[in-house]
Amino acid sequence: MIDANSSELSVLSFLRQGEAIGDVILCVCNFTPMPRLNYRVGVPRGGWWRELLNGDATVYGGSGQGNLGGVEAAPVPFHGRPVSLNLTLPPLCALFFAAPPLDGGEGEP
């Protein structure tokens, strides 16, 4: 769990660990009809976090708000983690991001 205490903003964020070391998925959910701009979430490592799924994408009938395919982690500690992401959270939406590989392989597309 990253943050389960943002009840005033109705946002929930958590990490899922895959079978392989380093396979990490970030999920951030905005349960309100208002977009959340500049929403900061602490993550375990730096690099390019690729947006895997945006429930507000136009292909799903949404408004198309989001993070343009991903976000570079900033050296700003947050939520007890060493770096963080500054996100756009579309309204009534779930976002999923893949952590960068541990070997420093793939970067920003």
Side-chain angles (χ1 to χ4, degrees), residues 3 6 10 13 24-26 28 47 56 61-62 68 70 72 75 88 93 97:
D3 187 10
S6 187
S10 295
S13 55
V24 176
I25 301 293
L26 165 67
V28 184
D56 193 54
L68 303 174
E72 184 73 26
T88 295
C93 181
F97 295 87

Side-chain angles (χ1 to χ4, degrees), residues 1-6 10-16 25-31 39-43 78-79 81 87 89 95:
M1 184 64 61
I2 293 176
D3 187 10
N5 298 311
S6 187
S10 295
V11 173
L12 176 68
S13 55
F14 60 91
L15 295 169
R16 293 290 297 173
I25 301 293
L26 165 67
C27 178
V28 184
C29 303
N30 178 8
F31 295 104
Y39 191 88
R40 189 160 297 279
V41 176
V43 292
F78 208 73
H79 291 127
R81 291 181 163 70
L87 302 174
L89 306 182
L95 301 171

Side-chain angles (χ1 to χ4, degrees), residues 18 37 107:
L37 307 177

Side-chain angles (χ1 to χ4, degrees), residues 55-107:
D56 193 54
T58 56
V59 69
Y60 305 124
S63 67
Q65 297 180 60
N67 299 279
L68 303 174
V71 178
E72 184 73 26
V76 178
F78 208 73
H79 291 127
R81 291 181 163 70
V83 295
S84 58
L85 305 178
N86 189 15
L87 302 174
T88 295
L89 306 182
L92 300 170
C93 181
L95 301 171
F96 293 85
F97 295 87
L102 286 174
D103 63 7
E106 301 171 21

